[in-house]
Amino acid sequence: MPENTTDAPQQWTPVHGDPYRSVPYRPERMPAEESLDQADRLRHRMDGRRTVRRFSTDPVPEQVLRDAIACAATAPSGAHQQPWTFVLVKDPEVRRRIREAAEHEEKISYDGRLGEEWLAALRPLGTDAVKSHMTDAPGLIVVFQQRYWLGEDGTKRKHYYVDESVGIAVGMLLSALHLSGLSALIHTPSPMRFLREVLDRPENEKAFAVIPVGYPAEDCEVPDLVRKSLDQVMVEI
Ligand code: IYR
């Protein structure tokens, strides 16, 4: 890698910062005891996360949502292209329009588009086409993938590993929200084209997920699910 940008190839710009220059990275080494303790506590806190479909309308501190989005935006990404946009939807009218359009698509899906096998897999979750969480939950975050970079003059440049990058970022967002005391639902209305129109996003962006955020309703219940044990999901060789 060249040490400075002068003769560095620039073909995939724009970049943020100067990845051709390296800077020291010396995070303080955490003592093993503390590491074990942190990991064990984190594991249990994360295990307490549940997807919530019934939300209280109580407001959440908006800054928590911004901070969680800032956490998500620290995710690693292909070629550090950071191919994501997080839209924090506050306007109740816009939320109402998103709900209406999502319910329209979901109704078609639940009425048969998903197919019998998929509908059977969803049945135990009790989901249906009614998406009241989109207007009940006080926060709504819509995540878009930037499928490619689009310059102001219309120039397009390929983005790499977009699904992986945005998937990781959304995982970090859900973790940050949970660890900040909020509950969320990851919702993937399909097809999602309407979101680009309703939220007036550019042509290079494709909706990835709609995430209502808030506190569980007082009478909220969740399915009695059991997670796979570590033995079932991990192989050590
Ligand atoms: N997108 C639909 C259906 C749905 C699909 C899966 I996979 C789920 O885990 C839950 C729901 C909906 O949001 O209702």
Side-chain angles (χ1 to χ4, degrees), residues 91-233:
D91 185 332
E93 172 53 22
V94 177
R95 295 162 57 110
R96 195 195 57 72
R97 285 170 55 204
I98 292 176
R99 174 176 172 184
E100 198 176 87
E103 287 182 333
H104 171 76
E105 292 296 350
E106 292 295 328
K107 182 154 184 350
I108 301 171
S109 297
Y110 280 91
D111 283 351
R113 179 166 54 189
L114 295 181
E116 201 31 58
E117 190 177 354
W118 193 343
L119 288 169
L122 291 179
R123 215 155 280 139
L125 298 178
T127 57
D128 59 26
V130 180
K131 301 299 175 194
S132 37
H133 41 255
M134 291 208 181
T135 45
D136 287 351
L140 190 71
I141 300 170
V142 184
V143 185
F144 285 86
Q145 303 180 307
Q146 298 170 1
R147 299 300 309 175
Y148 51 89
W149 177 80
L150 183 62
E152 277 174 14
D153 61 354
T155 315
K156 296 176 183 176
R157 294 201 183 116
K158 186 168 165 50
H159 276 165
Y160 299 95
Y161 296 104
V162 175
D163 288 337
E164 292 84 346
S165 304
V166 178
I168 294 167
V170 167
M172 291 173 67
L173 176 64
L174 294 178
S175 303
L177 291 167
H178 172 64
L179 296 174
S180 308
L182 300 183
S183 292
L185 165 65
I186 182 113
H187 174 59
T188 50
S190 174
M192 296 211 265
R193 274 184 301 276
F194 68 88
L195 287 163
R196 182 164 56 205
E197 283 147 36
V198 175
L199 297 172
D200 197 23
R201 299 308 306 160
E203 63 168 77
N204 62 325
E205 294 190 7
K206 183 172 173 224
F208 183 78
V210 180
I211 308 178
V213 187
Y215 301 108
E218 258 174 46
D219 60 351
C220 175
E221 295 200 355
V222 295
D224 186 16
L225 304 179
V226 176
R227 293 196 166 103
K228 288 182 180 174
S229 68
L230 191 56
D231 286 349
Q232 291 171 297
V233 300

